[in-house]
Amino acid sequence: MENKRSSIEKMSDGIGLFFQGIVELFSDVVSVVSKVFKQIDWELLAKSSTDPEIQKYYAIYHRTKNSRIKKKQMKKIKSILYGG
């Protein structure tokens, strides 16, 4: 004979899944917002920098449409800015 679950157990499982989904959604939103702030942060630092090397790399980054070159320039700028 099968064990039948009570409606309270089913409801508590449903509520648990609901809150688990809310937590996952919230963590995804926080992750996206964090990435956006990091992106804005390095661009503002690069724009306002007086370092001629950063200015050179940022000018190339800003002019090009090729994503491969943009990534290389961004990596160079970030390594200078953050010392990485």
Side-chain angles (χ1 to χ4, degrees):
M1 185 171 177
E2 294 181 19
N3 290 336
K4 292 189 176 182
R5 296 179 353 150
S6 69
S7 61
I8 293 175
E9 289 174 335
K10 290 178 184 178
M11 188 171 28
S12 71
D13 287 346
I15 292 172
L17 287 174
F18 172 77
F19 283 115
Q20 183 180 358
I22 294 293
V23 168
E24 288 177 10
L25 178 67
F26 185 70
S27 69
D28 290 345
V29 169
V30 169
S31 167
V32 168
V33 169
S34 172
K35 286 180 184 176
V36 168
F37 277 122
K38 284 182 182 178
Q39 178 76 12
I40 292 170
D41 184 41
W42 81 263
E43 284 201 53
L44 287 176
L45 288 173
K47 282 182 185 178
S48 63
S49 176
T50 57
D51 186 352
E53 197 173 6
I54 291 177
Q55 289 176 345
K56 178 181 81 172
Y57 292 142
Y58 187 73
I60 295 169
Y61 173 85
H62 192 65
R63 276 194 318 255
T64 189
K65 292 185 179 182
N66 187 330
S67 64
R68 183 179 55 85
I69 294 172
K70 277 187 173 277
K71 286 178 188 177
K72 285 183 177 182
Q73 300 308 315
M74 181 176 53
K75 189 174 180 181
K76 290 175 184 178
I77 292 170
K78 284 183 177 182
S79 70
I80 295 169
L81 286 174
Y82 301 126

